[in-house]
mmCIF file of all heavy atoms in Angstrom:
data_model
loop_
_atom_site.group_PDB
_atom_site.id
_atom_site.type_symbol
_atom_site.label_atom_id
_atom_site.label_comp_id
_atom_site.label_asym_id
_atom_site.label_seq_id
_atom_site.Cartn_x
_atom_site.Cartn_y
_atom_site.Cartn_z
ATOM 1 N N SER N 959 74.831 40.639 70.198
ATOM 2 C CA SER N 959 76.122 40.586 70.820
ATOM 3 C C SER N 959 76.984 41.745 70.274
ATOM 4 O O SER N 959 76.836 42.135 69.137
ATOM 5 C CB SER N 959 76.822 39.254 70.540
ATOM 6 O OG SER N 959 78.221 39.316 70.843
ATOM 7 N N VAL N 960 77.863 42.264 71.134
ATOM 8 C CA VAL N 960 78.780 43.362 70.665
ATOM 9 C C VAL N 960 79.694 42.853 69.578
ATOM 10 O O VAL N 960 80.368 43.658 68.896
ATOM 11 C CB VAL N 960 79.542 43.935 71.866
ATOM 12 C CG1 VAL N 960 78.617 44.671 72.783
ATOM 13 C CG2 VAL N 960 80.338 42.861 72.595
ATOM 14 N N ASP N 961 79.805 41.506 69.388
ATOM 15 C CA ASP N 961 80.607 41.023 68.320
ATOM 16 C C ASP N 961 79.919 40.938 66.973
ATOM 17 O O ASP N 961 80.495 40.662 65.967
ATOM 18 C CB ASP N 961 81.137 39.591 68.703
ATOM 19 C CG ASP N 961 82.008 39.579 69.921
ATOM 20 O OD1 ASP N 961 82.806 40.520 70.036
ATOM 21 O OD2 ASP N 961 81.951 38.656 70.741
ATOM 22 N N ASP N 962 78.553 41.198 66.980
ATOM 23 C CA ASP N 962 77.807 41.163 65.759
ATOM 24 C C ASP N 962 78.137 42.376 64.879
ATOM 25 O O ASP N 962 78.500 43.452 65.378
ATOM 26 C CB ASP N 962 76.270 41.239 66.091
ATOM 27 C CG ASP N 962 75.787 40.016 66.810
ATOM 28 O OD1 ASP N 962 76.519 38.942 66.760
ATOM 29 O OD2 ASP N 962 74.744 40.074 67.405
ATOM 30 N N LYS N 963 78.001 42.205 63.576
ATOM 31 C CA LYS N 963 78.138 43.331 62.650
ATOM 32 C C LYS N 963 76.985 44.306 62.865
ATOM 33 O O LYS N 963 75.785 43.844 63.007
ATOM 34 C CB LYS N 963 78.253 42.891 61.219
ATOM 35 C CG LYS N 963 79.569 42.217 60.861
ATOM 36 C CD LYS N 963 79.629 41.959 59.366
ATOM 37 C CE LYS N 963 81.003 41.413 58.992
ATOM 38 N NZ LYS N 963 81.137 41.156 57.539
ATOM 39 N N VAL N 964 77.249 45.582 62.798
ATOM 40 C CA VAL N 964 76.163 46.603 62.948
ATOM 41 C C VAL N 964 76.233 47.595 61.820
ATOM 42 O O VAL N 964 76.410 48.799 62.015
ATOM 43 C CB VAL N 964 76.217 47.281 64.341
ATOM 44 C CG1 VAL N 964 75.721 46.332 65.416
ATOM 45 C CG2 VAL N 964 77.575 47.795 64.680
ATOM 46 N N ASP N 965 76.201 47.021 60.632
ATOM 47 C CA ASP N 965 76.378 47.889 59.383
ATOM 48 C C ASP N 965 75.094 48.277 58.688
ATOM 49 O O ASP N 965 75.174 48.843 57.613
ATOM 50 C CB ASP N 965 77.274 47.116 58.430
ATOM 51 C CG ASP N 965 78.645 46.835 58.993
ATOM 52 O OD1 ASP N 965 79.123 47.630 59.815
ATOM 53 O OD2 ASP N 965 79.216 45.785 58.595
ATOM 54 N N HIS N 966 73.929 47.907 59.307
ATOM 55 C CA HIS N 966 72.691 48.179 58.593
ATOM 56 C C HIS N 966 71.667 48.858 59.481
ATOM 57 O O HIS N 966 70.634 48.232 59.846
ATOM 58 C CB HIS N 966 72.114 46.875 57.994
ATOM 59 C CG HIS N 966 73.044 46.147 57.091
ATOM 60 N ND1 HIS N 966 73.913 45.161 57.475
ATOM 61 C CD2 HIS N 966 73.291 46.292 55.755
ATOM 62 C CE1 HIS N 966 74.592 44.736 56.431
ATOM 63 N NE2 HIS N 966 74.254 45.462 55.357
ATOM 64 N N PRO N 967 71.899 50.111 59.881
ATOM 65 C CA PRO N 967 70.939 50.839 60.708
ATOM 66 C C PRO N 967 69.648 51.047 59.931
ATOM 67 O O PRO N 967 69.664 51.193 58.703
ATOM 68 C CB PRO N 967 71.661 52.139 61.013
ATOM 69 C CG PRO N 967 72.595 52.327 59.860
ATOM 70 C CD PRO N 967 73.088 50.936 59.516
ATOM 71 N N VAL N 968 68.530 51.079 60.681
ATOM 72 C CA VAL N 968 67.235 51.292 60.006
ATOM 73 C C VAL N 968 66.669 52.644 60.437
ATOM 74 O O VAL N 968 65.484 52.919 60.153
ATOM 75 C CB VAL N 968 66.274 50.140 60.363
ATOM 76 C CG1 VAL N 968 66.772 48.836 59.819
ATOM 77 C CG2 VAL N 968 66.060 50.036 61.836
ATOM 78 N N SER N 969 67.442 53.564 61.032
ATOM 79 C CA SER N 969 66.993 54.875 61.321
ATOM 80 C C SER N 969 68.234 55.781 61.366
ATOM 81 O O SER N 969 69.311 55.330 61.656
ATOM 82 C CB SER N 969 66.239 54.942 62.655
ATOM 83 O OG SER N 969 67.118 54.735 63.748
ATOM 84 N N LEU N 970 68.029 57.081 61.216
ATOM 85 C CA LEU N 970 69.099 58.055 61.302
ATOM 86 C C LEU N 970 69.628 58.020 62.719
ATOM 87 O O LEU N 970 70.848 58.163 62.958
ATOM 88 C CB LEU N 970 68.635 59.442 60.931
ATOM 89 C CG LEU N 970 69.713 60.529 61.066
ATOM 90 C CD1 LEU N 970 70.894 60.255 60.142
ATOM 91 C CD2 LEU N 970 69.084 61.881 60.782
ATOM 92 N N TYR N 971 68.756 57.923 63.718
ATOM 93 C CA TYR N 971 69.192 57.872 65.132
ATOM 94 C C TYR N 971 70.205 56.768 65.320
ATOM 95 O O TYR N 971 71.268 56.954 65.900
ATOM 96 C CB TYR N 971 67.970 57.658 66.064
ATOM 97 C CG TYR N 971 68.348 57.345 67.494
ATOM 98 C CD1 TYR N 971 68.907 58.339 68.251
ATOM 99 C CD2 TYR N 971 68.149 56.089 67.987
ATOM 100 C CE1 TYR N 971 69.219 58.048 69.601
ATOM 101 C CE2 TYR N 971 68.470 55.795 69.298
ATOM 102 C CZ TYR N 971 69.050 56.777 70.146
ATOM 103 O OH TYR N 971 69.423 56.523 71.405
ATOM 104 N N ALA N 972 69.865 55.538 64.788
ATOM 105 C CA ALA N 972 70.786 54.430 64.940
ATOM 106 C C ALA N 972 72.133 54.713 64.222
ATOM 107 O O ALA N 972 73.226 54.386 64.698
ATOM 108 C CB ALA N 972 70.158 53.150 64.387
ATOM 109 N N ALA N 973 72.026 55.351 63.090
ATOM 110 C CA ALA N 973 73.274 55.683 62.301
ATOM 111 C C ALA N 973 74.155 56.640 63.086
ATOM 112 O O ALA N 973 75.369 56.522 63.055
ATOM 113 C CB ALA N 973 72.869 56.278 60.963
ATOM 114 N N THR N 974 73.556 57.617 63.803
ATOM 115 C CA THR N 974 74.354 58.533 64.536
ATOM 116 C C THR N 974 75.006 57.842 65.739
ATOM 117 O O THR N 974 76.163 58.181 66.094
ATOM 118 C CB THR N 974 73.542 59.756 65.079
ATOM 119 O OG1 THR N 974 72.495 59.279 65.992
ATOM 120 C CG2 THR N 974 72.862 60.510 63.924
ATOM 121 N N LYS N 975 74.355 56.873 66.360
ATOM 122 C CA LYS N 975 74.912 56.152 67.467
ATOM 123 C C LYS N 975 76.067 55.269 67.002
ATOM 124 O O LYS N 975 77.088 55.134 67.732
ATOM 125 C CB LYS N 975 73.843 55.338 68.229
ATOM 126 C CG LYS N 975 72.908 56.239 69.042
ATOM 127 C CD LYS N 975 73.689 57.012 70.054
ATOM 128 C CE LYS N 975 72.798 57.802 71.041
ATOM 129 N NZ LYS N 975 73.648 58.580 71.972
ATOM 130 N N LYS N 976 75.945 54.648 65.917
ATOM 131 C CA LYS N 976 77.023 53.819 65.314
ATOM 132 C C LYS N 976 78.190 54.774 64.962
ATOM 133 O O LYS N 976 79.344 54.427 65.180
ATOM 134 C CB LYS N 976 76.559 53.059 64.108
ATOM 135 C CG LYS N 976 77.693 52.239 63.433
ATOM 136 C CD LYS N 976 78.400 51.311 64.390
ATOM 137 C CE LYS N 976 79.567 50.579 63.683
ATOM 138 N NZ LYS N 976 80.333 49.767 64.674
ATOM 139 N N SER N 977 77.878 55.957 64.439
ATOM 140 C CA SER N 977 78.932 56.886 64.145
ATOM 141 C C SER N 977 79.705 57.304 65.434
ATOM 142 O O SER N 977 80.932 57.467 65.356
ATOM 143 C CB SER N 977 78.314 58.161 63.513
ATOM 144 O OG SER N 977 77.693 57.825 62.291
ATOM 145 N N ASN N 978 78.988 57.453 66.540
ATOM 146 C CA ASN N 978 79.670 57.772 67.771
ATOM 147 C C ASN N 978 80.677 56.706 68.159
ATOM 148 O O ASN N 978 81.790 57.053 68.571
ATOM 149 C CB ASN N 978 78.639 57.890 68.920
ATOM 150 C CG ASN N 978 77.786 59.127 68.871
ATOM 151 O OD1 ASN N 978 76.832 59.308 69.626
ATOM 152 N ND2 ASN N 978 78.086 60.036 67.958
ATOM 153 N N GLU N 979 80.326 55.480 67.961
ATOM 154 C CA GLU N 979 81.246 54.376 68.260
ATOM 155 C C GLU N 979 82.468 54.441 67.402
ATOM 156 O O GLU N 979 83.635 54.257 67.837
ATOM 157 C CB GLU N 979 80.555 53.042 68.115
ATOM 158 C CG GLU N 979 79.420 52.795 69.111
ATOM 159 C CD GLU N 979 78.737 51.433 68.976
ATOM 160 O OE1 GLU N 979 79.201 50.640 68.139
ATOM 161 O OE2 GLU N 979 77.778 51.174 69.681
ATOM 162 N N LEU N 980 82.303 54.746 66.104
ATOM 163 C CA LEU N 980 83.440 54.780 65.179
ATOM 164 C C LEU N 980 84.328 55.984 65.502
ATOM 165 O O LEU N 980 85.543 55.881 65.503
ATOM 166 C CB LEU N 980 82.898 54.883 63.758
ATOM 167 C CG LEU N 980 82.174 53.658 63.204
ATOM 168 C CD1 LEU N 980 81.524 53.974 61.879
ATOM 169 C CD2 LEU N 980 83.091 52.493 63.072
ATOM 170 N N MET N 981 83.661 57.100 65.754
ATOM 171 C CA MET N 981 84.419 58.329 66.157
ATOM 172 C C MET N 981 85.236 58.104 67.440
ATOM 173 O O MET N 981 86.442 58.486 67.514
ATOM 174 C CB MET N 981 83.497 59.520 66.317
ATOM 175 C CG MET N 981 82.824 59.961 65.014
ATOM 176 S SD MET N 981 81.356 60.978 65.292
ATOM 177 C CE MET N 981 82.110 62.468 65.972
ATOM 178 N N ALA N 982 84.631 57.467 68.443
ATOM 179 C CA ALA N 982 85.331 57.240 69.685
ATOM 180 C C ALA N 982 86.500 56.272 69.480
ATOM 181 O O ALA N 982 87.582 56.456 70.055
ATOM 182 C CB ALA N 982 84.363 56.620 70.708
ATOM 183 N N HIS N 983 86.322 55.273 68.644
ATOM 184 C CA HIS N 983 87.426 54.340 68.370
ATOM 185 C C HIS N 983 88.590 55.116 67.712
ATOM 186 O O HIS N 983 89.753 54.852 68.055
ATOM 187 C CB HIS N 983 86.974 53.199 67.476
ATOM 188 C CG HIS N 983 88.004 52.148 67.249
ATOM 189 N ND1 HIS N 983 88.956 52.253 66.310
ATOM 190 C CD2 HIS N 983 88.229 50.950 67.923
ATOM 191 C CE1 HIS N 983 89.739 51.167 66.338
ATOM 192 N NE2 HIS N 983 89.287 50.381 67.309
ATOM 193 N N ALA N 984 88.302 55.960 66.737
ATOM 194 C CA ALA N 984 89.331 56.726 66.052
ATOM 195 C C ALA N 984 90.093 57.592 67.056
ATOM 196 O O ALA N 984 91.336 57.681 67.044
ATOM 197 C CB ALA N 984 88.729 57.567 64.949
ATOM 198 N N TYR N 985 89.402 58.260 67.941
ATOM 199 C CA TYR N 985 90.063 59.139 68.890
ATOM 200 C C TYR N 985 90.837 58.386 70.019
ATOM 201 O O TYR N 985 91.894 58.769 70.430
ATOM 202 C CB TYR N 985 89.054 60.071 69.592
ATOM 203 C CG TYR N 985 88.831 61.383 68.872
ATOM 204 C CD1 TYR N 985 88.157 61.375 67.619
ATOM 205 C CD2 TYR N 985 89.372 62.572 69.280
ATOM 206 C CE1 TYR N 985 87.998 62.551 66.886
ATOM 207 C CE2 TYR N 985 89.240 63.763 68.610
ATOM 208 C CZ TYR N 985 88.532 63.739 67.390
ATOM 209 O OH TYR N 985 88.386 64.917 66.669
ATOM 210 N N ALA N 986 90.306 57.200 70.319
ATOM 211 C CA ALA N 986 91.029 56.342 71.246
ATOM 212 C C ALA N 986 92.340 55.863 70.611
ATOM 213 O O ALA N 986 93.425 55.828 71.261
ATOM 214 C CB ALA N 986 90.190 55.063 71.592
ATOM 215 N N LYS N 987 92.319 55.541 69.320
ATOM 216 C CA LYS N 987 93.513 55.094 68.625
ATOM 217 C C LYS N 987 94.485 56.256 68.404
ATOM 218 O O LYS N 987 95.696 56.123 68.694
ATOM 219 C CB LYS N 987 93.119 54.527 67.255
ATOM 220 C CG LYS N 987 94.292 54.190 66.354
ATOM 221 C CD LYS N 987 95.137 53.031 66.899
ATOM 222 C CE LYS N 987 96.192 52.640 65.892
ATOM 223 N NZ LYS N 987 97.106 51.598 66.440
ATOM 224 N N LEU N 988 94.014 57.385 67.973
ATOM 225 C CA LEU N 988 94.887 58.514 67.625
ATOM 226 C C LEU N 988 95.444 59.219 68.809
ATOM 227 O O LEU N 988 96.603 59.674 68.783
ATOM 228 C CB LEU N 988 94.120 59.519 66.745
ATOM 229 C CG LEU N 988 93.747 59.047 65.312
ATOM 230 C CD1 LEU N 988 92.807 60.002 64.677
ATOM 231 C CD2 LEU N 988 95.011 58.873 64.476
ATOM 232 N N TYR N 989 94.665 59.365 69.861
ATOM 233 C CA TYR N 989 95.039 60.208 71.011
ATOM 234 C C TYR N 989 95.063 59.454 72.317
ATOM 235 O O TYR N 989 95.212 60.111 73.389
ATOM 236 C CB TYR N 989 94.074 61.398 71.063
ATOM 237 C CG TYR N 989 93.990 62.098 69.719
ATOM 238 C CD1 TYR N 989 92.806 62.118 69.013
ATOM 239 C CD2 TYR N 989 95.092 62.772 69.180
ATOM 240 C CE1 TYR N 989 92.666 62.739 67.781
ATOM 241 C CE2 TYR N 989 95.000 63.386 67.907
ATOM 242 C CZ TYR N 989 93.771 63.381 67.238
ATOM 243 O OH TYR N 989 93.702 64.001 66.010
ATOM 244 N N ASP N 990 94.908 58.164 72.309
ATOM 245 C CA ASP N 990 95.091 57.331 73.488
ATOM 246 C C ASP N 990 94.072 57.766 74.594
ATOM 247 O O ASP N 990 94.395 57.799 75.778
ATOM 248 C CB ASP N 990 96.482 57.425 74.020
ATOM 249 C CG ASP N 990 96.959 56.144 74.667
ATOM 250 O OD1 ASP N 990 96.392 55.077 74.361
ATOM 251 O OD2 ASP N 990 97.903 56.200 75.476
ATOM 252 N N ILE N 991 92.835 58.026 74.172
ATOM 253 C CA ILE N 991 91.757 58.413 75.127
ATOM 254 C C ILE N 991 91.003 57.155 75.514
ATOM 255 O O ILE N 991 90.399 56.483 74.653
ATOM 256 C CB ILE N 991 90.801 59.402 74.447
ATOM 257 C CG1 ILE N 991 91.509 60.649 73.939
ATOM 258 C CG2 ILE N 991 89.671 59.780 75.472
ATOM 259 C CD1 ILE N 991 90.643 61.560 73.141
ATOM 260 N N PRO N 992 91.001 56.778 76.804
ATOM 261 C CA PRO N 992 90.224 55.591 77.230
ATOM 262 C C PRO N 992 88.760 55.842 77.006
ATOM 263 O O PRO N 992 88.157 56.788 77.620
ATOM 264 C CB PRO N 992 90.559 55.447 78.706
ATOM 265 C CG PRO N 992 91.882 56.180 78.861
ATOM 266 C CD PRO N 992 91.754 57.317 77.910
ATOM 267 N N CYS N 993 88.084 55.077 76.159
ATOM 268 C CA CYS N 993 86.682 55.287 75.836
ATOM 269 C C CYS N 993 85.891 53.984 76.020
ATOM 270 O O CYS N 993 86.345 52.910 75.587
ATOM 271 C CB CYS N 993 86.544 55.692 74.355
ATOM 272 S SG CYS N 993 87.255 57.288 73.922
ATOM 273 N N THR N 994 84.721 54.083 76.592
ATOM 274 C CA THR N 994 83.797 52.948 76.682
ATOM 275 C C THR N 994 82.437 53.346 76.225
ATOM 276 O O THR N 994 81.817 54.333 76.727
ATOM 277 C CB THR N 994 83.721 52.389 78.104
ATOM 278 O OG1 THR N 994 85.038 52.025 78.564
ATOM 279 C CG2 THR N 994 82.830 51.179 78.170
ATOM 280 N N GLY N 995 81.857 52.649 75.263
ATOM 281 C CA GLY N 995 80.513 52.909 74.756
ATOM 282 C C GLY N 995 79.525 51.877 75.361
ATOM 283 O O GLY N 995 79.909 50.745 75.566
ATOM 284 N N LEU N 996 78.337 52.354 75.660
ATOM 285 C CA LEU N 996 77.318 51.523 76.316
ATOM 286 C C LEU N 996 76.059 51.525 75.449
ATOM 287 O O LEU N 996 75.470 52.555 75.196
ATOM 288 C CB LEU N 996 76.993 52.036 77.690
ATOM 289 C CG LEU N 996 78.221 52.023 78.682
ATOM 290 C CD1 LEU N 996 77.768 52.686 79.987
ATOM 291 C CD2 LEU N 996 78.644 50.594 78.903
ATOM 292 N N ARG N 997 75.695 50.318 75.003
ATOM 293 C CA ARG N 997 74.477 50.145 74.186
ATOM 294 C C ARG N 997 73.319 49.879 75.135
ATOM 295 O O ARG N 997 73.164 48.746 75.643
ATOM 296 C CB ARG N 997 74.679 49.049 73.182
ATOM 297 C CG ARG N 997 75.743 49.365 72.095
ATOM 298 C CD ARG N 997 76.016 48.210 71.179
ATOM 299 N NE ARG N 997 77.001 48.524 70.174
ATOM 300 C CZ ARG N 997 77.544 47.665 69.323
ATOM 301 N NH1 ARG N 997 77.185 46.362 69.389
ATOM 302 N NH2 ARG N 997 78.448 48.060 68.421
ATOM 303 N N PHE N 998 72.484 50.899 75.377
ATOM 304 C CA PHE N 998 71.347 50.742 76.269
ATOM 305 C C PHE N 998 70.179 50.072 75.579
ATOM 306 O O PHE N 998 69.913 50.295 74.407
ATOM 307 C CB PHE N 998 70.892 52.093 76.762
ATOM 308 C CG PHE N 998 71.911 52.883 77.559
ATOM 309 C CD1 PHE N 998 72.037 54.236 77.414
ATOM 310 C CD2 PHE N 998 72.763 52.250 78.445
ATOM 311 C CE1 PHE N 998 72.978 54.987 78.145
ATOM 312 C CE2 PHE N 998 73.731 52.934 79.183
ATOM 313 C CZ PHE N 998 73.812 54.286 79.054
ATOM 314 N N PHE N 999 69.470 49.221 76.317
ATOM 315 C CA PHE N 999 68.326 48.526 75.821
ATOM 316 C C PHE N 999 67.032 48.955 76.510
ATOM 317 O O PHE N 999 66.831 48.655 77.689
ATOM 318 C CB PHE N 999 68.506 46.993 75.950
ATOM 319 C CG PHE N 999 69.386 46.349 74.910
ATOM 320 C CD1 PHE N 999 70.765 46.638 74.892
ATOM 321 C CD2 PHE N 999 68.848 45.527 73.946
ATOM 322 C CE1 PHE N 999 71.559 46.023 73.944
ATOM 323 C CE2 PHE N 999 69.646 44.977 72.961
ATOM 324 C CZ PHE N 999 71.016 45.209 72.960
ATOM 325 N N THR N 1000 66.173 49.706 75.836
ATOM 326 C CA THR N 1000 64.854 50.121 76.261
ATOM 327 C C THR N 1000 64.728 50.378 77.752
ATOM 328 O O THR N 1000 64.225 49.582 78.493
ATOM 329 C CB THR N 1000 63.816 49.040 75.846
ATOM 330 O OG1 THR N 1000 64.070 48.598 74.513
ATOM 331 C CG2 THR N 1000 62.374 49.622 75.939
ATOM 332 N N VAL N 1001 65.244 51.554 78.121
ATOM 333 C CA VAL N 1001 65.324 51.929 79.522
ATOM 334 C C VAL N 1001 63.958 52.491 80.001
ATOM 335 O O VAL N 1001 63.309 53.234 79.266
ATOM 336 C CB VAL N 1001 66.410 52.968 79.776
ATOM 337 C CG1 VAL N 1001 66.606 53.211 81.232
ATOM 338 C CG2 VAL N 1001 67.695 52.545 79.131
ATOM 339 N N TYR N 1002 63.526 52.138 81.170
ATOM 340 C CA TYR N 1002 62.240 52.621 81.680
ATOM 341 C C TYR N 1002 62.326 52.791 83.186
ATOM 342 O O TYR N 1002 63.274 52.353 83.853
ATOM 343 C CB TYR N 1002 61.098 51.576 81.393
ATOM 344 C CG TYR N 1002 61.124 50.350 82.270
ATOM 345 C CD1 TYR N 1002 60.243 50.205 83.297
ATOM 346 C CD2 TYR N 1002 62.084 49.335 81.996
ATOM 347 C CE1 TYR N 1002 60.291 49.056 84.114
ATOM 348 C CE2 TYR N 1002 62.101 48.180 82.799
ATOM 349 C CZ TYR N 1002 61.208 48.055 83.849
ATOM 350 O OH TYR N 1002 61.223 46.968 84.626
ATOM 351 N N GLY N 1003 61.338 53.484 83.743
ATOM 352 C CA GLY N 1003 61.283 53.693 85.199
ATOM 353 C C GLY N 1003 60.704 55.034 85.539
ATOM 354 O O GLY N 1003 60.276 55.812 84.664
ATOM 355 N N PRO N 1004 60.692 55.383 86.867
ATOM 356 C CA PRO N 1004 60.168 56.661 87.320
ATOM 357 C C PRO N 1004 60.913 57.846 86.672
ATOM 358 O O PRO N 1004 62.118 57.785 86.482
ATOM 359 C CB PRO N 1004 60.404 56.651 88.822
ATOM 360 C CG PRO N 1004 60.499 55.180 89.215
ATOM 361 C CD PRO N 1004 61.157 54.527 87.988
ATOM 362 N N ALA N 1005 60.182 58.937 86.420
ATOM 363 C CA ALA N 1005 60.724 60.134 85.837
ATOM 364 C C ALA N 1005 61.345 59.905 84.485
ATOM 365 O O ALA N 1005 62.279 60.560 84.078
ATOM 366 C CB ALA N 1005 61.710 60.804 86.792
#
């Protein structure tokens, strides 16, 4: 759930994505930028 704590990444990739969420929150707060983050789950399909 998006309400779960996400403080224990197990890869650098995951850590960078969590960092993106924190950075976006800071910029939304400081500069009133409407931001929405989307946590994708194992996307597949053609191409």
Side-chain angles (χ1 to χ4, degrees):
S959 166
V960 292
D961 296 323
D962 295 341
K963 286 187 176 181
V964 285
D965 299 330
H966 300 96
V968 296
S969 69
L970 178 62
Y971 171 69
T974 64
K975 286 301 185 180
K976 177 56 183 174
S977 298
N978 287 173
E979 295 181 3
L980 294 171
M981 293 162 69
H983 186 277
Y985 271 73
K987 173 66 176 176
L988 291 170
Y989 308 113
D990 214 21
I991 303 170
C993 297
T994 302
L996 298 174
R997 294 174 178 173
F998 298 142
F999 280 70
T1000 316
V1001 188
Y1002 75 103

